[in-house]
């Protein structure tokens, strides 16, 4: 049984496509009308709205541009999702910019945005209908392929994750989360050992694993948790409440449409609370990033290598922990992966590829300022590498490929001929006499001298090779210059002779042509023409000739110039009757008289053919091979995505957007970063100035944490080893040239995060590593393969088939450590995962803490408030001016409120960091708050949270 492939909705027949879109819109509007009538179907509305807003605009756009070159269905879904996000953000920006000019002060309100988006969808449907050419046939999929046991298990992984989060939130049971991580490890081993899991299931497996890992963390707590997400929530919530985005609010987050436009739009259309939009929809979008990476890597490597590379990328805790609290970077990274996927998809139409690349690159600027600056650096570094590579290739062509064959013939003759003790001086003298070119003379002398030295029997093999190289080096410049000069001289002679022959041919033609005036006078003088008769004389002459014997035969039709040599016999004719009436010339009929046949004398001119002029040719060695290499070089460079036009457009838009939005706060931030780096450049490799180096040198608390640390260090070593194998051309994989240069740029950035002061601290070292691994992840697998290849020369029992198994085992150990599962079974180890432990302190709220924070805002408004390191992060979603408790009690202001969470009450302490330099942690722990609360009244206590008032 076959069913319609809903993953390829953009390729359905026009009737089926429009019916599907109209059906979804009808159900959506029906849910809205039922809600107005009092029947709430929020779940159905949310699901339908979720499908419409995330996939339908992109699907219709792909249909309009006829983007039908993608073979994999899931890859087409990724493109649809990316374009839909672009349309959502651009539509919100357009409404917010234009509607105030027509008197609408709330352009981002729910009613206006839903109406505008539905109008855009209907308009795109109309355009699709007009442009349809009946060239599509609805793709079908076999229903049996959806019923495989392995596919069902993979689809169940996200649901196991949701159940585990629910049990953890309500009953503090982590059993399902432990089972989930164990199943993911088993799937990784299946790929490494090439068992059970088919390569066709790899994309679905990656999507399911990504969703499961993200949901098992994001669904913990009924409120948002993390660091930057709190202020992102505050900015998006302000747009929802006001119905307007204030563009000039001086904050970096305010420039990000991925926060201030995308989040409110998703909340409006799906009807979900903004908290659940950030906890469900954003992770769902981010789960497609590893799938896009898989297709990017697979187009350059093999399916198992691509899967294990992506498995390494999602195994790091940054992907499913830290990134969940930076939603703007999640969207920006998704667009970056789409650009990389376009870059390696050289089979796509160039124009469509360029359109999508421009949209996705501009969307990165909309989404995250940090990633935009990083991408700009990597692109410029990549272009620099490609430019140098092209210059090196040109020099290679000039010095090796363009050398004539005869330059190599001298050495071959020396090897084959008999050894002579004396050079041929007579040949040298003849050459000097004949050659007028100084470079040729020097070249002949050099050849003979070196030929003589090469034929000496006493020289060793090393001297022979050295002299041979020396001869070649001295011989090339003179020969090349001589060939070029001779070619120019022969070229001038050839064109001069060609012009002379053409001129001679024209003179001969004019001379011997029957129509030429030269033949009329033997002396070569042309008779002057008689003066032109007047009009009246010509009319009288015409009348006389007409009246005379009816002779009206036009002799000019016979093309006869001289009648002396011819005898013309005319047939008898009657004289026409003439009367004295007025002569009406238009009624006069011309007599139809058949003239005699007269043979025109023919002059046979000799046929002048194209002259054969010998044009000297320069011997280019294997000329066909050279042309093929040049054409291949042009073909390799023709499909580069990051060309000068795209980079200049990206730079222009980046600086324009960050200067004219949010009062230039994003531009000021990058200038401040550059200023800090410039001032502290002398502190290279200083642990207090470099956050990355301080993490590498930091002492760990336990043996298990030491293993965890060295896993990270070895992974970076393998990445470096993979890049070495790439440079040495030892990978045997088809990495695209542009991807290689971008990967080298990412590695340079990663090294700079450790060496350069105040660089990694601007984004945190873990996030910088996460961004770099988008390009560097496959080189970990390549590095392990290369290392095993080197060891295989000494360890003979190490078979090549063992390499893939070893990589999968290494990555499974990595996942067990980073997910916190290994710490659950280790005694006396501090737990590191909020999804596996309830005692682990983290920036998150429970219901009682959230209740106390809302009470405080309702009672006292947005006034000064203190909280410790973790509680202050979440409180900023309600109080943007919330501050951390200072490490020293004398710095605490008495007019501020003091907020305690559940962990603070249980441990009777406030979690405080002490930092130095570039956000380098020197000391952290729980400090006793007795001195802070002794003069403060307790104004709120619900058993899980306490609020203290002002002192005095």
């Amino acid at each position: 049984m076959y069913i319609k492939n809903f993953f390829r909705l953009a390729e359905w027949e026009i009737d089926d496509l429009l019916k599907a879109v109209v059906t979804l819109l009808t159900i959506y509007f029906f849910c809205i009308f039922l809600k107005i009538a009092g029947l709430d179907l929020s779940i159905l509305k949310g699901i339908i709205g979720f499908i419409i807003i995330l996939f339908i605009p992109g699907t219709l756009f792909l249909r309009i541009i006829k983007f039908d070159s993608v073979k994999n269905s899931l890859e087409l879904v990724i493109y649809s999702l990316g374009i839909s996000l672009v349309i959502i953000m651009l539509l919100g920006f357009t409404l917010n910019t234009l509607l105030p000019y027509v008197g609408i002060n709330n352009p981002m309100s729910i009613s206006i945005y839903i109406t505008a988006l539905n109008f855009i969808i209907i308009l795109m449907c109309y355009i699709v209908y007009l442009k349809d050419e009946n060239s599509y046939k609805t793709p079908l999929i076999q229903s049996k392929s959806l019923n495989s046991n392995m596919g069902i298990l993979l689809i169940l992984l996200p649901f196991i994750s949701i159940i585990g989060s629910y049990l953890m939130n309500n009953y503090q049971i982590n059993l399902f989360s432990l089972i989930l991580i164990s199943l993911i490890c088993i799937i990784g081993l299946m790929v490494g050992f090439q068992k059970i899991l088919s390569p066709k299931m790899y994309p679905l497996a990656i999507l399911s694993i990504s969703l499961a890992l993200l949901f098992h963390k994001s669904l913990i707590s009924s409120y948002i948790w993390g660091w930057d997400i709190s202020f992102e929530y505050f900015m998006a919530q302000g747009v929802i409440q006001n119905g307007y985005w204030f563009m000039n609010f001086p904050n970096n987050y305010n420039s990000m449409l991925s926060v201030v436009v995308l989040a409110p739009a998703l909340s409006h259309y799906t009807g979900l609370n903004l908290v659940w939009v950030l906890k469900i929809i954003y992770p769902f979008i981010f789960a497609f990033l590893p799938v896009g990476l898989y297709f990017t890597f697979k187009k350059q490597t093999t399916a198992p290598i691509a899967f294990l590379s992506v498995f390494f990328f999602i195994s790091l805790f940054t992907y499913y922990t830290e990134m969940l609290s930076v939603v703007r970077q999640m969207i920006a990274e998704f667009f970056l992966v789409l650009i990389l996927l376009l870059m390696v998809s050289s089979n796509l139409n160039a124009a469509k590829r360029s359109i999508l690349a421009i949209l996705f690159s501009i969307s990165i600027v909309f989404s995250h300022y940090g990633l935009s600056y990083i991408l700009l650096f990597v692109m410029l570094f990549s272009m620099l590498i490609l430019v140098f590579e092209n210059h090196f290739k040109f020099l290679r062509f000039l010095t090796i490929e363009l050398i004539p064959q005869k330059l190599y013939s001298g050495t071959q003759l020396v090897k084959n001929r008999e050894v002579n003790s004396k050079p041929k001086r007579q040949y040298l003298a003849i050459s000097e006499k004949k050659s007028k070119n100084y470079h040729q003379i020097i070249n002949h002398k050099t050849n003979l001298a070196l030929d003589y030295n090469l034929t000496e029997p006493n020289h060793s093999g090393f001297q022979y090779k050295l002299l041979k190289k020396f001869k070649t080096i001295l011989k090339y410049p003179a020969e090349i210059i001589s060939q070029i000069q001779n070619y120019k001289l022969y070229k001038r002679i050839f064109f001069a002779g060609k012009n002379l022959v053409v001129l001679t041919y024209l003179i001969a033609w004019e001379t011997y042509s029957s129509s030429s005036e030269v033949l009329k006078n033997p002396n070569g003088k042309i008779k002057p023409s008689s003066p032109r008769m007047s009009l009246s004389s010509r009319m009288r002459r015409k009348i006389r000739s007409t009246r005379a014997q009816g002779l009206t035969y036009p002799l000019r039709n016979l093309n006869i110039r001289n009648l002396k040599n011819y005898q013309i016999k005319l047939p008898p004719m009657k004289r026409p009757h003439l009367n004295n009436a007025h002569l009406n010339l238009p009624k006069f009929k011309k007599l139809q008289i058949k003239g005699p046949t007269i043979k025109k004398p023919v002059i046979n001119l000799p046929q002048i053919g194209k002259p054969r002029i010998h044009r000297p040719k320069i011997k280019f060695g294997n000329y066909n091979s050279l042309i093929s290499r040049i054409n291949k070089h042009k073909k390799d460079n023709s499909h580069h995505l990051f060309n000068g036009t795209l980079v200049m457009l990206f730079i222009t838009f980046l600086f324009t957007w960050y200067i004219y939005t949010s009062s230039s706060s994003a531009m000021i931030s990058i200038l401040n970063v550059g200023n800090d780096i410039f001032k502290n450049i002398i502190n290279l490799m200083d642990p207090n100035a470099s956050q990355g180096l301080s993490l590498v040198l930091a002492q760990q608390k336990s043996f298990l944490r030491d293993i965890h640390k060295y896993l990270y260090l070895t992974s970076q070593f393998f990445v470096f080893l993979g890049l070495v194998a790439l440079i040495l051309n030892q990978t045997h994989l088809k990495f695209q040239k542009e991807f290689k240069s971008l990967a080298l740029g990412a590695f340079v950035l990663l090294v700079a995060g450790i060496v350069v002061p105040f660089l990694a601290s601007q984004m945190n070292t873990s996030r910088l590593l996460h961004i770099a691994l988008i390009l560097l992840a496959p080189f970990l697998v390549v590095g392990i393969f290369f290392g095993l290849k080197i060891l295989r020369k000494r360890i003979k029992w190490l078979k090549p088939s063992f390499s893939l198994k070893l990589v999968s085992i290494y990555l499974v150990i990595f996942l067990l450590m980073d997910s916190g599962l290994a710490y659950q079974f280790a005694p006396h180890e501090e737990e590191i995962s909020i999804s596996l432990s309830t005692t682990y302190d983290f920036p998150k709220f429970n219901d009682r803490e959230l209740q106390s924070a809302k009470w405080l805002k309702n009672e006292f408004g947005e006034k000064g408030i203190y909280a410790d390191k973790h509680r202050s992060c979440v409180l900023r979603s309600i109080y943007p001016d919330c501050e951390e408790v200072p490490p020293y009690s004398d710095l605490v202001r008495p007019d501020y409120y003091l907020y305690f969470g559940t962990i603070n009450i249980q441990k009777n302490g406030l979690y405080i960091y002490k930092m130095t330099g570039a956000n380098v942690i020197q000391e952290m722990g729980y400090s006793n708050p007795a001195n802070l609360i002794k003069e403060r009244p307790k104004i709120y206590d619900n058993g899980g949270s306490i609020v203290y008032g002002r002192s005095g």
Side-chain angles (χ1 to χ4, degrees):
M1 178 180 178
Y2 290 90
I3 61 174
K4 295 178 181 178
N5 189 352
F6 49 88
F7 293 109
R8 306 189 73 87
L9 183 62
E11 298 178 358
W12 285 16
E13 295 179 6
I14 186 62
D15 294 339
D16 296 335
L17 175 61
L18 296 181
K19 287 178 182 178
V21 175
V22 171
T23 301
L24 290 173
L25 290 176
T26 303
I27 297 174
Y28 181 78
F29 285 117
F30 184 68
C31 292
I32 294 177
F33 295 148
L34 288 179
K35 185 176 181 180
I36 296 174
L39 181 60
D40 192 2
L41 297 177
S42 300
I43 297 178
L44 180 60
K45 177 192 172 185
I47 295 174
I48 299 300
F50 173 82
I51 296 173
I52 292 175
I53 193 171
L54 288 183
F55 297 104
I56 297 303
T59 299
L60 295 175
F61 184 86
L62 292 179
R63 181 60 175 265
I64 291 173
I65 66 173
K66 297 182 180 179
F67 193 80
D68 51 4
S69 302
V70 179
K71 296 181 180 179
N72 193 282
S73 300
L74 204 53
E75 186 178 353
L76 190 64
V77 171
I78 295 174
Y79 283 118
S80 301
L81 177 59
I83 297 173
S84 296
L85 296 178
V86 175
I87 293 174
I88 293 170
M89 291 191 293
L90 291 178
L91 177 61
F93 173 73
T94 305
L95 294 176
N96 193 85
T97 305
L98 300 181
L99 291 187
Y101 290 101
V102 295
I104 301 176
N105 297 323
N106 55 347
M108 286 297 295
S109 62
I110 181 171
S111 58
I112 293 178
Y113 192 86
I114 290 177
T115 304
L117 183 59
N118 289 330
F119 173 77
I120 292 296
I121 292 174
I122 295 173
L123 179 62
M124 294 175 74
C125 288
Y126 181 68
I127 296 174
V128 168
Y129 177 77
L130 292 179
K131 295 190 64 175
D132 183 68
E133 299 176 353
N134 295 324
S135 58
Y136 288 93
K137 185 177 181 181
T138 303
L140 303 177
I141 186 172
Q142 195 171 6
S143 59
K144 293 182 180 179
S145 61
L146 303 176
N147 297 329
S148 63
N149 296 330
M150 199 63 204
I152 295 174
L153 175 62
L154 294 175
I155 294 173
L156 288 177
L157 288 179
F159 295 98
I160 296 174
S161 174
I162 295 171
I163 295 172
S165 301
Y166 175 79
L167 294 176
M168 193 64 191
N169 288 332
N170 296 279
Y171 304 103
Q172 290 75 47
I173 299 175
N174 61 3
L175 177 61
F176 274 74
S177 297
L178 296 176
I179 294 174
L180 172 69
I181 298 173
S182 302
L183 289 175
I184 293 173
C185 293
I186 292 173
I187 293 173
L189 292 175
M190 286 180 184
V191 176
F193 286 82
Q194 298 290 292
K195 302 291 184 181
I196 303 176
L197 191 62
S198 171
K200 294 181 180 179
M201 304 293 291
Y202 286 175
L204 178 60
I206 291 173
L207 179 61
S208 299
I209 292 173
S210 303
L211 276 174
L213 287 175
L214 291 169
F215 282 159
H216 101 285
K217 279 289 184 71
S218 68
L219 296 180
I220 296 296
S221 177
S222 58
Y223 194 64
I224 58 173
W225 54 261
W227 297 272
D228 295 3
I229 192 173
S230 300
F231 204 80
E232 291 171 342
Y233 171 84
F234 177 80
M235 298 296 297
Q237 187 66 28
V239 175
I240 292 175
Q241 293 176 354
N242 300 326
Y244 178 74
W245 167 48
F246 183 60
M247 186 184 299
N248 294 322
F249 182 75
N251 188 276
N252 293 352
Y253 297 0
N254 194 46
S255 296
M256 306 297 104
L257 297 186
S258 58
V259 174
V260 296
V261 171
L262 181 60
L266 293 173
S267 179
H268 288 334
Y269 208 86
T270 60
L272 292 176
N273 188 284
L274 184 59
V275 171
W276 295 108
V277 168
L278 300 178
K279 292 173 74 67
I280 296 178
I281 299 183
Y282 274 81
F284 176 83
I285 297 171
F286 195 52
F288 283 90
L289 183 146
V291 184
L293 275 183
Y294 170 77
F295 290 121
T296 303
F297 298 156
K298 184 186 174 183
K299 292 177 186 293
Q300 305 174 93
T301 61
T302 61
I305 293 177
F307 182 92
L308 293 176
S309 302
V310 175
F311 193 85
F312 168 62
F313 177 78
I314 63 180
S315 297
L316 272 68
F317 83 99
T318 310
Y319 173 73
Y320 53 85
T321 302
E322 189 171 357
M323 291 305 300
L324 290 174
S325 63
V326 195
V327 296
R328 64 191 188 281
Q329 187 173 337
M330 293 164 61
I331 303 301
E333 287 185 359
F334 178 67
F335 286 126
L336 175 60
V337 171
L338 286 174
I339 293 177
L340 296 178
L341 185 57
L342 283 173
M343 183 183 69
V344 300
S345 301
S346 56
N347 61 322
L348 300 178
N349 181 271
K352 300 172 186 177
R353 224 167 128 230
S354 301
I355 292 172
L356 296 182
I358 292 172
L359 291 176
F360 294 150
S361 59
I362 289 176
S363 300
I364 292 177
V365 178
F366 284 151
S367 302
H368 191 215
Y369 53 91
L371 186 61
S372 300
Y373 294 131
I374 289 175
L375 180 60
L376 176 60
F377 168 79
V378 173
M379 283 195 302
L380 294 177
F381 187 88
S382 170
M383 291 188 65
L384 187 64
I385 291 177
L386 293 176
V387 167
F388 275 112
E389 184 184 13
N390 292 335
H391 285 312
F392 287 144
K393 281 197 171 185
F394 172 76
L395 292 176
R396 183 174 180 272
F397 284 139
L398 181 63
T399 58
I400 297 177
E401 304 292 342
L402 297 179
I403 301 302
Q405 287 182 354
K406 64 181 180 180
L407 295 180
Y408 296 99
S409 61
T411 305
Q412 298 293 333
L413 292 174
V414 170
K415 291 181 180 179
N416 297 329
R417 70 189 178 190
E418 296 181 357
V419 178
N420 298 323
S421 59
K422 297 181 180 180
K424 298 181 179 180
R425 296 294 180 183
Q426 296 179 356
Y427 176 75
L428 175 62
I430 294 173
S431 300
E432 290 182 4
K433 290 180 181 179
K434 290 184 177 181
S435 177
K436 297 181 180 180
N437 193 324
Y438 173 77
H439 299 287
Q440 284 185 325
I441 297 174
I442 298 298
N443 191 24
H444 289 309
K445 291 181 178 180
T446 305
N447 289 342
L448 292 177
L450 291 178
D451 285 345
Y452 173 75
N453 291 331
L454 287 174
T455 55
E456 287 292 333
N458 296 327
H459 286 112
S460 63
F462 174 75
Q463 292 175 339
Y464 178 86
K465 293 179 181 180
L466 183 61
L467 290 173
K468 177 181 174 183
K469 294 292 183 183
F470 182 69
K471 171 194 172 182
T472 306
I473 293 173
L474 292 179
K475 189 176 181 180
Y476 286 168
E479 277 292 333
I480 292 175
I481 294 174
S482 175
Q483 292 286 350
I484 292 174
Q485 290 181 348
N486 291 337
Y487 173 74
K488 290 182 178 179
L489 178 62
Y490 292 146
K491 184 177 180 181
R492 291 175 182 174
I493 294 174
F494 170 75
F495 281 109
K498 181 179 179 180
N499 295 334
L500 182 61
V501 170
V502 172
L503 182 62
T504 305
Y505 180 83
L506 292 176
I507 292 174
W509 177 260
E510 289 294 331
T511 303
Y512 295 101
S513 175
S514 61
S515 62
S516 176
E517 298 291 340
V518 177
L519 296 178
K520 292 184 179 181
N521 295 299
N523 298 330
K525 296 182 180 180
I526 302 174
K527 296 181 180 180
S529 58
S530 59
R532 186 176 180 85
M533 299 174 62
S534 64
L535 180 60
S536 57
S537 300
R538 281 182 286 166
M539 291 297 297
R540 287 194 295 271
R541 185 175 180 179
K542 180 68 176 178
I543 295 172
R544 287 197 300 270
S545 63
T546 303
R547 292 178 178 177
Q549 303 297 326
L551 183 60
T552 60
Y553 181 76
L555 295 179
R556 62 177 177 274
N557 292 339
L558 297 177
N559 196 14
I560 299 175
R561 298 290 182 178
N562 194 353
L563 300 177
K564 294 180 179 181
N565 301 327
Y566 299 95
Q567 182 179 2
I568 302 175
K569 294 182 180 181
L570 298 177
M573 60 182 69
K574 294 182 180 182
R575 181 177 179 181
H577 176 73
L578 299 176
N579 54 17
N580 296 328
H582 179 71
L583 181 62
N584 192 1
L585 292 179
K587 295 182 180 179
F588 176 77
K589 293 184 180 180
K590 182 178 178 181
L591 297 177
Q592 301 296 329
I593 302 174
K594 185 177 181 180
T597 302
I598 302 174
K599 292 185 178 180
K600 180 180 177 181
V602 179
I603 302 175
N604 295 323
L605 296 177
Q607 185 177 3
I608 302 176
K610 185 178 180 180
R612 296 183 179 180
I613 301 175
H614 176 69
R615 182 176 181 179
K617 297 181 180 180
I618 299 177
K619 297 180 180 180
F620 286 104
N622 191 356
Y623 186 76
N624 295 329
S625 175
L626 172 64
I627 295 299
S628 64
R629 287 170 181 259
I630 294 176
N631 292 335
K632 183 177 181 300
H633 174 67
K634 291 181 179 180
K635 184 178 179 181
D636 291 341
N637 293 333
S638 62
H639 62 268
H640 284 175
L641 189 65
F642 291 106
N643 50 29
T645 304
L646 180 62
V647 173
M648 289 304 299
L649 180 64
F650 182 79
I651 293 173
T652 304
F653 191 80
L654 183 146
F655 286 105
T656 303
W657 180 259
Y658 292 146
I659 288 174
Y660 290 99
T661 58
S662 301
S663 300
S664 306
S665 61
M667 183 59 62
I668 294 172
S669 298
I670 192 62
L671 294 177
N672 291 334
V673 172
N675 187 35
D676 292 338
I677 294 174
F678 179 76
K679 287 182 179 179
N680 297 275
I681 196 66
I682 59 175
N683 296 325
L684 291 175
M685 303 297 291
D686 184 4
N688 291 325
S690 175
Q691 188 187 62
L693 185 60
S694 66
L695 291 175
V696 172
L697 301 177
Q699 297 293 329
Q700 302 300 318
K701 297 180 180 179
S702 63
F703 176 72
L704 192 60
R705 286 184 176 270
D706 279 331
I707 296 176
H708 199 173
K709 171 186 171 181
Y710 287 116
L711 274 176
Y712 269 91
L713 295 180
T714 54
S715 67
Q716 302 313 303
F717 171 75
F718 287 134
V719 168
F720 170 73
L721 199 61
L723 290 174
V724 171
L726 178 70
I727 295 173
L728 298 178
N729 198 20
Q730 297 294 321
T731 60
H732 304 292
L733 298 173
K734 298 179 181 179
F735 282 107
Q736 197 184 66
K737 185 189 305 181
E738 199 170 5
F739 185 85
K740 289 190 236 180
S741 59
L742 290 173
L744 291 174
F747 186 76
V748 170
L749 180 66
L750 197 59
V751 174
I754 298 176
V755 177
V756 179
F758 290 89
L759 179 61
S761 59
Q762 303 301 321
M763 189 177 283
N764 287 337
T765 305
S766 56
R767 287 166 59 189
L768 190 63
L769 174 63
H770 172 78
I771 294 174
L773 287 179
I774 293 177
L775 292 161
L776 297 176
F779 297 104
L780 175 127
V781 182
V782 173
I784 295 177
F785 285 178
F786 184 60
L788 292 176
K789 181 180 178 182
I790 297 174
L791 293 177
R792 203 175 296 125
K793 296 179 181 180
R794 297 186 178 182
I795 306 175
K796 296 183 179 180
W797 57 266
L798 197 61
K799 298 181 180 180
S801 60
F802 185 67
S803 301
L804 206 62
K805 300 176 183 178
L806 185 62
V807 173
S808 63
I809 294 172
Y810 175 81
L811 295 179
V812 165
I813 295 173
F814 210 108
L815 178 60
L816 291 175
M817 298 294 292
D818 248 24
S819 64
L821 183 60
Y823 290 86
Q824 293 292 315
F825 303 101
H828 310 293
E829 284 289 346
E830 183 182 357
E831 297 171 342
I832 63 172
S833 176
I834 60 174
S835 61
L836 301 177
S837 174
T838 58
T839 60
Y840 177 59
D841 195 5
F842 196 76
K844 64 182 179 67
F845 270 2
N846 55 34
D847 295 336
R848 292 184 178 182
E849 291 171 335
L850 180 61
Q851 184 180 357
S852 64
K854 292 181 178 180
W855 175 87
L856 184 61
K857 182 176 182 179
N858 294 332
E859 293 293 330
F860 299 98
E862 296 181 4
K863 296 183 179 180
I865 185 171
Y866 280 129
D868 67 351
K869 180 68 178 179
H870 288 163
R871 259 54 60 184
S872 62
C873 292
V874 189
L875 267 176
R876 289 193 182 101
S877 62
I878 302 174
Y879 296 95
D881 296 329
C882 178
E883 297 182 12
E884 298 178 19
V885 178
Y888 304 102
S889 58
D890 56 344
L891 298 177
V892 178
R893 296 180 58 175
D895 57 340
Y896 273 45
Y897 295 94
L898 189 60
Y899 181 89
F900 278 67
T902 304
I903 298 293
N904 302 134
I905 298 173
Q906 293 175 355
K907 297 189 176 183
N908 192 25
L910 298 173
Y911 192 65
I912 296 175
Y913 279 5
K914 292 182 181 179
M915 295 186 176
T916 59
N919 294 336
V920 178
I921 300 173
Q922 292 283 25
E923 183 181 351
M924 59 183 178
Y926 293 91
S927 64
N928 194 326
N931 295 331
L932 299 178
I933 63 176
K934 63 181 180 180
E935 296 181 359
R936 294 176 180 269
K938 182 187 295 186
I939 60 176
Y940 184 86
D941 186 359
N942 60 6
S945 178
I946 299 176
V947 179
Y948 289 92
R950 302 173 180 178
S951 62

